[in-house]
Amino acid sequence: NAGVMQNPRHLVRRRGQEARLRCSPMKGHSHVYWYRQLPEEGLKFMVYLQKENIIDESGMPKERFSAEFPKEGPSILRIQQVVRGDSAAYFCASSSRENTEAFFGQGTRLTVV
Amino acid sequence: QKEVEQNSGPLSVPEGAIASLNCTYSDRGSQSFFWYRQYSGKSPELIMFIYSNGDKEDGRFTAQLNKASQYVSLLIRDSQPSDSATYLCAAGYTGGFKTIFGAGTRLFVKA
């Protein structure tokens, strides 16, 4: 009875490196959402995906950030050439349908040094 | 710009009291509303959702929705120190596909 699984839980990258964050939704869920939470702040929507499709990426920075949800395998949030300001907790959530309750993974805490 | 607004707090209540958390949303097109609890350093946990005007009760929690006023609230009865957390209000938008979160209200329940 696995919930939303994110890995790694903690990720340390040097400035300029790439960060890859993975999210496996709950069984039966085909909708995946990525959120970013800066220290002492609320959740900020980044991107909403269904299998093989990006539905809404209005919260994604225009450069360096990309996301995918392939037919097979987990959803990936990719951050290229990371900077210190990318340090945050990145949460993935999944739902069975749009506009219904979403369940969160444990998050990936990215630290850029 | 669709927004969900919450008072950041902190809201401090004594043990056993009723904690009242409030939230407003800007887009009348939103149709589903959620309350999540987030302990420090942890992921958000869904505790209530409400779709229709009125009250919805689940144990010590009551969610209230007033679409005319674009207002959502969460009442926690018999507050316990273990209820101390940040409470996130969220609104789902049909057609917009994404759930918008407020910044959260910090609740402290004093023993």
Side-chain angles (χ1 to χ4, degrees):
Chain A
N1 185 24
V4 180
M5 303 299 292
Q6 288 188 251
N7 68 82
R9 294 287 305 277
H10 300 275
L11 182 62
V12 179
R13 284 287 178 266
R14 295 186 185 278
R15 281 178 294 172
Q17 290 185 318
E18 178 180 288
R20 279 182 178 245
L21 288 61
R22 294 174 181 77
C23 170
S24 296
M26 284 180 69
K27 187 176 181 181
H29 285 191
S30 58
H31 300 249
V32 167
Y33 312 81
W34 285 94
Y35 294 86
R36 177 165 62 179
Q37 188 172 38
L38 295 170
E40 307 300 320
E41 293 189 11
L43 290 165
K44 299 292 185 186
F45 168 81
M46 298 183 74
V47 62
Y48 163 51
L49 310 103
Q50 294 181 32
K51 282 287 186 182
E52 300 186 275
N53 289 303
I54 296 175
I55 306 302
D56 186 337
E57 57 181 348
S58 58
M60 288 274 274
K62 293 290 185 277
E63 297 179 348
R64 301 189 298 108
F65 285 73
S66 62
E68 63 177 8
F69 189 15
K71 185 176 181 180
E72 301 292 337
S75 176
I76 306 288
L77 179 67
R78 182 182 177 203
I79 310 172
Q80 295 178 292
Q81 300 176 328
V82 295
V83 301
R84 288 232 171 99
D86 296 332
S87 295
Y90 291 83
F91 289 100
C92 168
S94 73
S95 67
S96 58
R97 292 179 291 115
E98 67 187 43
N99 211 28
T100 61
E101 58 270 29
F103 297 89
F104 282 83
Q106 292 300 305
T108 294
R109 279 146 184 87
L110 172 66
T111 302
V112 179
V113 297
Chain B
Q1 179 79 3
K2 300 180 177 69
E3 292 183 350
V4 175
E5 299 286 342
Q6 295 182 255
N7 187 325
S8 62
L11 173 66
S12 184
V13 300
E15 184 175 0
I18 296 175
S20 178
L21 304 161
N22 305 312
C23 169
T24 59
Y25 58 97
S26 63
D27 191 339
R28 289 188 179 277
S30 53
Q31 294 190 327
S32 51
F33 305 89
F34 310 96
W35 283 99
Y36 287 82
R37 176 176 62 199
Q38 187 176 27
Y39 293 111
S40 181
K42 302 295 184 181
S43 61
E45 172 193 12
L46 179 68
I47 54 173
M48 290 285 288
F49 60 88
I50 186 167
Y51 300 139
S52 303
N53 271 331
D55 296 358
K56 179 180 179 182
E57 187 174 319
D58 184 1
R60 295 188 295 113
F61 299 97
T62 298
Q64 299 175 318
L65 173 60
N66 183 327
K67 290 188 177 181
S69 301
Q70 296 175 240
Y71 178 88
V72 190
S73 66
L74 179 70
L75 301 177
I76 306 174
R77 290 181 298 281
D78 188 23
S79 296
Q80 302 297 309
S82 59
D83 294 326
S84 298
T86 296
Y87 289 80
L88 301 166
C89 172
Y93 293 86
T94 300
F97 303 112
K98 60 179 179 280
T99 300
I100 304 294
F101 281 81
T105 298
R106 289 188 178 182
L107 172 67
F108 291 106
V109 181
K110 299 175 292 185

